[in-house]
Amino acid sequence: MKLTSVLSLLTAVTLTTATPIEVEYGNETLNRPLIHMTPTYGWMNDPNGLWYDSKEELWHVYYQYNPNDTVWGLPLYWGHATSKNLTTWTQHDVAIIPPANDSGAYSGSIVVDYNNTSGFFTESTDPAQRAVAIWTYNTPESETQYVSYSTDGGYTFTNYDQGNPVLDLNSTQFRDPKVFWHEESQKWILTVAKTQQFKIAIYSSTNLTTWTHESDFEREGYLGYQYECPGLVKLPLPKNDTTSTENVLSYSNGTLVSNNTVPAETDKWAFFISINPGSIQGGSSTQYFIGDFNGTHFVADYPNTNVIDLGKDYYAMQTFFNSPDGDVYSIGWASNWQYSAYVPTDPWRSSMSLVRKFSLEDFQANPETRILNIKSTPVIDYDVFNFGETFAYENETLNTNNTLHYDLAKNFDGLVEFNLTFTANSSAYGNHDFAGLDLFLRGDMNKNEYLRLGFGANAAAFYIDRGHTEVPFVSSNPFFTDKVSVNNQPSEYVTNEITKYKVYGIADRNILELYFNDGSQVSTNTYFFTGGNFIGEADIEVAADGVFEIEDFQIRQMTLKL
Amino acid sequence: MKLTSVLSLLTAVTLTTATPIEVEYGNETLNRPLIHMTPTYGWMNDPNGLWYDSKEELWHVYYQYNPNDTVWGLPLYWGHATSKNLTTWTQHDVAIIPPANDSGAYSGSIVVDYNNTSGFFTESTDPAQRAVAIWTYNTPESETQYVSYSTDGGYTFTNYDQGNPVLDLNSTQFRDPKVFWHEESQKWILTVAKTQQFKIAIYSSTNLTTWTHESDFEREGYLGYQYECPGLVKLPLPKNDTTSTENVLSYSNGTLVSNNTVPAETDKWAFFISINPGSIQGGSSTQYFIGDFNGTHFVADYPNTNVIDLGKDYYAMQTFFNSPDGDVYSIGWASNWQYSAYVPTDPWRSSMSLVRKFSLEDFQANPETRILNIKSTPVIDYDVFNFGETFAYENETLNTNNTLHYDLAKNFDGLVEFNLTFTANSSAYGNHDFAGLDLFLRGDMNKNEYLRLGFGANAAAFYIDRGHTEVPFVSSNPFFTDKVSVNNQPSEYVTNEITKYKVYGIADRNILELYFNDGSQVSTNTYFFTGGNFIGEADIEVAADGVFEIEDFQIRQMTLKL
């Protein structure tokens, strides 16, 4: 490990080699998502350097970017986009440029160095804009951690040439540094993956350039081939939502206790680790652990692993530094390395997930046990939309002979959201019956292309089938799993026999995000219909009588205001 | 918890209530597996009470059984089958009968009480046949652990009425006891699931009827909805396979060490836990942990979880008591609760997996790290077969313009095995290419029904696509995932660029077992072709030139001798 202590003011040297090559792209297919961030052209993977500029009130997202092709390749840049509303995005020029054509500015993070601990800034840079990027410099010989800083609000970065690399383990498998400010110890903390050792190294620093190794978190969860993209965030424990003082909730070691003499914890730490390849879903996935972090070591309350999104398209999740309200906001890469190079979009490949707010909840994992769970809430600014008609339905028991059918507007923009709350009555079906509730979302030009979503009461699981399309990629690619499921506990036990479930869904041209029971579980999956065949019909059908009552169903189309 | 100490000789009372109801079954479909054990008729789930009778040299398998229907239902019995060769099976009358029609003889295990520690036996029962069953008695009110014993070699069982239940926690979620003899402490050890607490309780006993709670193993791995079917087995650490004394391998805390001064461990313990519903694959899955067991507590070397079979159809795995060679043999239920009630077989539903031998290996999880891994080897007695022609191919580089095609014999019996060893050259394809090797196994009557297996070099994963069939269940059931994948490390690094992979597959009419790299990973998946449409053609195709060399491919059909 190479440590430096060069803290004097540095000469800014903007990296200028390896500018994008001019390439010709084909005609754009018509199904570019509206509110899921995509690069204008070229290849994108991991989200990087997420931060909030409180001076400009602007959210910055960077990303692994190959502008020269629609597949991954070197040189690899940090692409850059910003948003005022976390819903629509403006693309900018590349922000970090790798010094050589056979190298990459691999994944990393950005912090705001308000107090100029690094010494990189003068008074001419507003404290709220003192962005310091810590990222992995990948060459054929090694992966080391580099520091760069921006004096123009995050649009261009200057390499810390005098001190880079700030971390060097003489390894080719050492990457994805994520830095945050640890208030309790008054230090910067960096987590970084020793990928093939299944270890996340934790370092501390007072100046962002000299780093001290504190501990390794190793071999928890499911290993797959390697660990990538670590992240450590503090989340407040759920608040007591009752008014009775006798029911004050308190926590000890992450477990809800009723004994008020136990000193109450107020927050927990969540440790995120992405694995690829070799996740159990196949390919890429992000897991997490909940526990305590003391400034040097993370210890999980229990060694059990959790998966932050159970779909096939959510990876390399990173959280924002410095959110204005102190809440934890995140973005994941909405694709899967198993098939990301072949998805039928042009002249770009892949999108990000929606921004999600994370919070801890007491999750009823089964009737006997509650566990701490991360709940995901999508962040959407509805002011940016014009809306189509809202179709609604409520308080009706569905049977096999009454199907709900909604003709949405034709030639709308392909962005649709729905809310479905229903109950299932377990006394109304037997072991022979398939007690399923289906929601079909069909194309407006070609209704043979559709998404089938639903709930199987016998299996106590929601399902998604994205296989019904005429796009050849979907059937021919052997890794593009069509049927994905999510086990779900009820959001409410209405009676012993009647249980309630909720799902919120948003389909954005080629990506579907499903939030079950107010975000207790999430499944993100891309889908591919023929260009321009947007969702324009919805049907709800049930496979058994007397089982399902629709408490509330609403669906509407949305388009961006001009 | 209720403990008893009634150890005097007991009066045998054979349970005789709740005999099978006479029901009519439809015509049998033609695709009943030949060497995967199925019940003659009715519903089967978990394997139970696996043991070996060394007097008769006979393997016993019991199973959760509803003879009155082809879906799960009460009363639930222990069905029973035996085998001399672990390949073909003889069905017998039900072995354990639940006392009431609204109750079940739920899952459990059998041990041989050679030394009559229980006091259940007289000299008239051969020590090798002193079978004692420990199982869960499920009623609408509770789940408790029952003991029964057999004096006729395991065909009928007598309930230990004076002492049952031997374990009662006043719980409805307490089941699946698995017992083994712990030589080091000279005690019986019982593991049993407190399912909804995500705990496996460990008990000890000297007499099989009085049990002492020693510890709980809790909240490791992925939780899903609940824990079921625990099991704890000792496995020898891999032997040194070099001849150089300087390369003697030794282990410390399960990690291979070269320092010969560290005292060498000779074995490890594997703790198996099944979860359902809510596995990451969807539905049912079996995970395991490797560590140490001291007679009272199991401690995992590392908290990471492993999955014993990455397919969608392998659950409730149990190991045999008392194998003749001391090795560990196992059987899993080859289905998934998400869809087991709907699979198109009649008049039975579901089969067991092949018997597998488990052994520990140093698994190269990636170029930097070796981990202890359980390797699975299928147990097949080839003396029971007549064989079709063996088709073979070797040492040839495949390109997109040369496809291998094999016409196997028509109207064979639908049992096919193959071995494929190949190398992939990573310098021969780019990031745009899909460097795939496909093996198609097609129906002999209808070649539009086929299994697509293969390897994607870019994703470093094997894939299986079981979705190409005209059987309506396959497309209509939303949980019957078509595309399943398994991340695979090479079995050998031939050069920096050329890596070798192996797969052994056996397709038995409606179930495919794939063993990758000599069983380092396994994927078991059922498939459904039209009745009588057996595999009769094989094709190998590649999607990129110069990447794949077939080092060896062999395929042959098999049928049972009359």
Side-chain angles (χ1 to χ4, degrees):
Chain A
M1 181 168 56
K2 181 181 172 187
L3 296 175
T4 76
S5 58
V6 180
L7 297 172
S8 56
L9 199 62
L10 305 163
T11 311
V13 181
T14 303
L15 306 174
T16 54
T17 59
T19 49
I21 301 159
E22 291 288 327
V23 288
E24 283 189 26
Y25 288 101
N27 292 321
E28 176 157 333
T29 61
L30 297 171
N31 292 358
R32 182 191 286 269
L34 299 181
I35 62 169
H36 286 77
M37 195 265 276
T38 54
T40 309
Y41 59 90
W43 165 268
M44 175 174 80
N45 54 291
D46 306 359
N48 294 154
L50 312 186
W51 70 289
Y52 177 72
D53 175 346
S54 58
K55 176 168 182 280
E56 296 293 330
E57 298 183 340
L58 192 65
W59 300 81
H60 290 263
V61 169
Y62 307 80
Y63 49 86
Q64 292 289 285
Y65 186 42
N66 179 11
N68 302 314
D69 206 339
T70 49
V71 297
W72 185 92
L74 299 176
L76 201 71
Y77 302 75
W78 275 32
H80 183 204
T82 57
S83 177
K84 295 293 278 185
N85 52 26
L86 291 178
T87 305
T88 55
W89 298 88
T90 303
Q91 293 291 334
H92 304 285
D93 287 344
V94 294
I96 298 182
I97 299 167
N101 276 335
D102 65 349
S103 76
Y106 276 22
S107 287
S109 53
I110 283 177
V111 295
V112 181
D113 186 15
Y114 285 93
N115 296 323
N116 196 20
T117 63
S118 62
F120 291 150
F121 303 98
T122 65
E123 292 302 313
S124 65
T125 304
D126 189 282
Q129 295 189 318
R130 291 174 177 173
V132 177
I134 305 92
W135 50 280
T136 298
Y137 182 48
N138 174 286
T139 70
E141 293 77 35
S142 70
E143 289 184 338
T144 57
Q145 312 320 317
Y146 266 44
V147 167
S148 304
Y149 58 95
S150 175
T151 54
D152 65 356
Y155 295 90
T156 64
F157 283 82
T158 301
N159 203 2
Y160 171 48
D161 281 334
Q162 292 86 339
N164 283 334
V166 298
L167 282 173
D168 181 354
L169 298 185
N170 192 27
S171 168
T172 60
Q173 305 296 327
F174 178 48
R175 59 182 175 271
D176 307 342
K178 171 66 173 161
V179 178
F180 64 96
W181 176 250
H182 187 244
E183 188 64 29
E184 296 84 342
S185 64
Q186 292 289 300
K187 285 187 178 170
W188 299 103
I189 300 295
L190 179 155
T191 55
V192 59
K194 299 173 183 172
T195 59
Q196 294 192 4
Q197 297 176 36
F198 303 116
K199 290 180 181 171
I200 307 299
I202 299 175
Y203 292 85
S204 70
S205 174
T206 54
N207 60 15
L208 291 170
T209 51
T210 306
W211 293 97
T212 303
H213 181 246
E214 299 289 0
S215 66
D216 284 340
F217 179 78
E218 65 177 319
R219 281 212 205 183
E220 301 223 10
Y222 192 73
L223 300 181
Y225 175 80
Q226 63 186 352
Y227 281 176
E228 290 191 320
C229 302
L232 187 53
V233 298
K234 186 160 76 171
L235 290 166
L237 281 161
K239 298 262 189 335
N240 181 3
D241 57 3
T242 75
T243 51
S244 162
T245 53
E246 292 178 15
N247 286 326
V248 170
L249 305 184
S250 66
Y251 291 85
S252 172
N253 197 29
T255 298
L256 197 62
V257 293
S258 53
N259 180 351
N260 289 329
T261 63
V262 174
E265 299 174 299
T266 57
D267 45 56
K268 278 285 164 188
W269 290 81
F271 208 142
F272 293 92
I273 300 176
S274 287
I275 54 171
N276 177 75
S279 78
I280 301 180
Q281 296 107 309
S284 317
S285 177
T286 300
Q287 60 187 332
Y288 70 91
F289 308 90
I290 294 175
D292 296 311
F293 177 66
N294 65 0
T296 62
H297 292 71
F298 174 83
V299 178
D301 289 344
Y302 295 96
N304 67 283
T305 187
N306 308 277
V307 176
I308 191 65
D309 187 305
L310 286 151
K312 267 210 91 157
D313 293 295
Y314 192 84
Y315 188 63
M317 189 285 302
Q318 187 176 110
T319 57
F320 278 88
F321 183 87
N322 189 38
S323 76
D325 56 7
D327 284 339
V328 174
Y329 296 90
S330 67
I331 287 185
W333 178 50
S335 192
N336 191 310
W337 283 108
Q338 284 190 330
Y339 49 72
S340 53
Y342 318 106
V343 297
T345 61
D346 186 36
W348 83 96
R349 274 215 179 90
S350 93
S351 70
M352 294 300 174
S353 73
L354 294 180
V355 175
R356 294 176 192 169
K357 177 181 161 179
F358 289 156
S359 53
L360 283 177
E361 64 169 354
D362 275 304
F363 175 65
Q364 189 92 42
N366 59 41
E368 289 190 18
T369 301
R370 301 179 78 91
I371 63 174
L372 280 178
N373 177 64
I374 293 182
K375 173 175 161 171
S376 300
T377 309
V379 177
I380 300 169
D381 178 359
Y382 286 97
D383 288 343
V384 306
F385 300 122
N386 289 317
F387 297 95
E389 180 183 354
T390 296
F391 296 85
Y393 186 83
E394 61 186 30
N395 295 329
E396 197 75 38
T397 298
L398 288 187
N399 289 314
T400 49
N401 60 2
N402 64 320
T403 297
L404 300 179
H405 176 79
Y406 300 97
D407 280 314
L408 311 180
K410 302 289 180 195
N411 304 317
F412 227 81
D413 247 4
L415 179 63
V416 177
E417 70 170 8
F418 66 89
N419 252 307
L420 172 63
T421 303
F422 61 92
T423 57
N425 184 341
S426 64
S427 70
Y429 58 89
N431 292 341
H432 285 273
D433 304 318
F434 179 77
L437 169 77
D438 280 316
L439 167 60
F440 295 96
L441 299 174
R442 299 181 194 276
D444 60 357
M445 297 195 320
N446 177 357
K447 65 173 66 178
N448 292 324
E449 297 191 325
Y450 61 89
L451 293 170
R452 180 186 180 192
L453 322 172
F455 181 76
N458 317 62
F462 281 95
Y463 50 78
I464 304 137
D465 184 350
R466 57 181 178 172
H468 302 277
T469 161
E470 295 170 7
V471 174
F473 162 80
V474 171
S475 53
S476 68
N477 186 288
F479 296 112
F480 194 75
T481 313
D482 59 353
K483 295 170 185 171
V484 175
S485 62
V486 176
N487 176 247
N488 275 92
Q489 280 298 288
S491 68
E492 183 186 335
Y493 290 84
V494 181
T495 70
N496 273 349
E497 290 166 347
I498 297 177
T499 46
K500 185 182 291 189
Y501 302 87
K502 296 180 183 179
V503 55
Y504 167 77
I506 182 160
D508 185 10
R509 290 191 167 184
N510 72 14
I511 179 169
L512 173 70
E513 299 198 11
L514 293 174
Y515 296 78
F516 303 103
N517 294 338
D518 299 314
S520 291
Q521 285 163 304
V522 189
S523 186
T524 301
N525 297 281
T526 53
Y527 63 94
F528 298 98
F529 288 180
T530 301
N533 189 31
F534 298 143
I535 289 168
E537 293 188 21
D539 296 284
I540 297 183
E541 297 176 12
V542 296
D545 287 332
V547 177
F548 295 105
E549 179 176 321
I550 305 296
E551 190 168 289
D552 185 42
F553 175 64
Q554 295 186 49
I555 187 167
R556 63 177 174 178
Q557 293 166 303
M558 307 188 287
T559 189
L560 293 173
K561 292 176 181 168
L562 291 182
Chain B
M1 181 169 55
K2 179 180 172 189
L3 296 176
T4 75
S5 58
V6 180
L7 298 174
S8 55
L9 199 64
L10 305 162
T11 310
V13 181
T14 303
L15 306 172
T16 54
T17 59
T19 48
I21 301 158
E22 290 287 328
V23 287
E24 282 188 28
Y25 287 101
N27 293 321
E28 175 156 332
T29 61
L30 297 172
N31 293 357
R32 182 192 284 269
L34 299 182
I35 62 169
H36 287 76
M37 196 266 276
T38 53
T40 308
Y41 59 89
W43 164 268
M44 175 174 81
N45 55 292
D46 307 358
N48 294 155
L50 312 187
W51 71 289
Y52 176 73
D53 176 346
S54 58
K55 177 167 180 280
E56 297 293 330
E57 297 182 342
L58 192 65
W59 300 82
H60 289 263
V61 169
Y62 306 80
Y63 49 86
Q64 293 289 286
Y65 187 41
N66 178 10
N68 302 315
D69 206 341
T70 50
V71 298
W72 186 93
L74 298 176
L76 201 70
Y77 301 76
W78 274 33
H80 183 204
T82 57
S83 176
K84 296 292 279 185
N85 53 24
L86 292 178
T87 305
T88 56
W89 297 88
T90 303
Q91 293 291 336
H92 304 286
D93 286 345
V94 294
I96 298 182
I97 299 167
N101 276 334
D102 65 349
S103 76
Y106 275 21
S107 287
S109 52
I110 283 178
V111 294
V112 180
D113 186 14
Y114 285 93
N115 295 321
N116 197 19
T117 63
S118 62
F120 291 150
F121 303 98
T122 65
E123 291 302 312
S124 65
T125 304
D126 189 281
Q129 296 189 319
R130 291 173 176 172
V132 177
I134 305 93
W135 50 280
T136 299
Y137 183 48
N138 174 286
T139 70
E141 292 77 34
S142 70
E143 288 184 338
T144 57
Q145 312 321 317
Y146 266 44
V147 167
S148 305
Y149 57 95
S150 174
T151 54
D152 64 356
Y155 294 89
T156 63
F157 283 81
T158 301
N159 203 1
Y160 171 48
D161 280 335
Q162 292 84 339
N164 282 334
V166 298
L167 282 174
D168 182 354
L169 298 185
N170 191 27
S171 168
T172 60
Q173 305 295 327
F174 179 47
R175 59 181 176 272
D176 307 341
K178 170 66 175 162
V179 179
F180 65 95
W181 176 251
H182 186 245
E183 189 62 30
E184 296 85 340
S185 65
Q186 292 289 301
K187 285 186 177 170
W188 299 105
I189 300 295
L190 179 154
T191 55
V192 58
K194 299 173 183 172
T195 60
Q196 294 193 3
Q197 297 176 36
F198 303 115
K199 290 180 183 172
I200 307 299
I202 299 175
Y203 291 85
S204 69
S205 174
T206 55
N207 59 13
L208 291 170
T209 50
T210 307
W211 293 97
T212 303
H213 182 246
E214 300 289 359
S215 66
D216 284 341
F217 179 78
E218 65 176 318
R219 281 213 205 182
E220 301 225 9
Y222 192 73
L223 300 181
Y225 175 80
Q226 62 187 351
Y227 280 176
E228 290 191 319
C229 301
L232 186 53
V233 297
K234 186 160 76 171
L235 289 166
L237 281 161
K239 298 262 188 336
N240 180 4
D241 57 3
T242 76
T243 51
S244 162
T245 53
E246 291 178 15
N247 285 326
V248 170
L249 305 184
S250 66
Y251 291 84
S252 172
N253 196 30
T255 298
L256 197 62
V257 294
S258 53
N259 180 350
N260 289 329
T261 64
V262 174
E265 298 175 300
T266 58
D267 45 55
K268 278 284 165 190
W269 290 81
F271 208 142
F272 293 91
I273 300 175
S274 287
I275 53 172
N276 176 76
S279 79
I280 301 180
Q281 296 106 308
S284 318
S285 178
T286 301
Q287 60 187 333
Y288 70 91
F289 309 90
I290 294 175
D292 296 312
F293 177 66
N294 65 359
T296 61
H297 292 71
F298 174 82
V299 178
D301 290 343
Y302 295 96
N304 67 282
T305 187
N306 308 277
V307 176
I308 191 66
D309 187 306
L310 286 152
K312 268 209 90 157
D313 293 295
Y314 192 84
Y315 188 63
M317 190 285 302
Q318 186 176 111
T319 56
F320 279 87
F321 184 86
N322 189 38
S323 76
D325 57 5
D327 284 338
V328 174
Y329 296 90
S330 67
I331 287 185
W333 178 52
S335 192
N336 190 310
W337 283 107
Q338 284 190 330
Y339 49 71
S340 52
Y342 319 106
V343 295
T345 61
D346 186 38
W348 83 96
R349 273 213 180 92
S350 92
S351 70
M352 294 299 173
S353 73
L354 293 180
V355 175
R356 294 176 192 169
K357 177 181 161 179
F358 288 158
S359 53
L360 283 177
E361 63 168 356
D362 274 304
F363 176 66
Q364 188 92 43
N366 59 40
E368 290 190 18
T369 301
R370 301 178 78 90
I371 63 173
L372 281 177
N373 178 63
I374 292 181
K375 174 175 160 171
S376 301
T377 308
V379 177
I380 299 169
D381 179 358
Y382 287 98
D383 288 343
V384 306
F385 300 122
N386 289 316
F387 297 95
E389 180 183 354
T390 297
F391 296 86
Y393 186 84
E394 61 185 31
N395 296 327
E396 197 76 37
T397 299
L398 288 187
N399 289 314
T400 48
N401 60 3
N402 63 321
T403 297
L404 300 180
H405 176 79
Y406 300 99
D407 280 313
L408 310 180
K410 302 288 179 196
N411 304 316
F412 226 79
D413 247 5
L415 179 63
V416 177
E417 70 170 7
F418 66 89
N419 251 306
L420 173 62
T421 303
F422 62 92
T423 57
N425 184 340
S426 64
S427 70
Y429 57 90
N431 292 340
H432 285 272
D433 304 317
F434 178 76
L437 169 77
D438 280 317
L439 168 60
F440 295 97
L441 298 174
R442 299 182 194 277
D444 59 358
M445 297 193 322
N446 177 355
K447 64 173 68 177
N448 293 324
E449 297 190 325
Y450 60 89
L451 293 171
R452 181 186 180 192
L453 323 172
F455 181 76
N458 316 63
F462 281 95
Y463 50 77
I464 303 139
D465 184 350
R466 58 179 177 173
H468 301 278
T469 162
E470 294 171 6
V471 173
F473 162 80
V474 171
S475 54
S476 68
N477 185 288
F479 295 112
F480 194 75
T481 312
D482 59 353
K483 295 170 185 171
V484 176
S485 61
V486 176
N487 176 247
N488 275 92
Q489 280 298 290
S491 67
E492 182 186 337
Y493 290 84
V494 181
T495 69
N496 272 349
E497 290 166 346
I498 297 178
T499 47
K500 185 182 291 187
Y501 302 87
K502 296 180 183 179
V503 55
Y504 168 77
I506 183 160
D508 185 10
R509 289 191 168 184
N510 71 14
I511 179 169
L512 173 70
E513 299 198 9
L514 293 174
Y515 295 78
F516 303 103
N517 295 336
D518 300 314
S520 291
Q521 286 164 302
V522 189
S523 186
T524 301
N525 297 281
T526 53
Y527 62 94
F528 298 98
F529 288 180
T530 300
N533 190 31
F534 298 143
I535 289 169
E537 293 188 22
D539 295 284
I540 297 184
E541 297 176 11
V542 297
D545 287 332
V547 177
F548 295 105
E549 179 176 321
I550 305 296
E551 190 169 289
D552 185 42
F553 175 65
Q554 295 186 48
I555 187 166
R556 63 177 174 178
Q557 293 167 303
M558 307 188 287
T559 190
L560 293 174
K561 291 176 182 169
L562 289 182

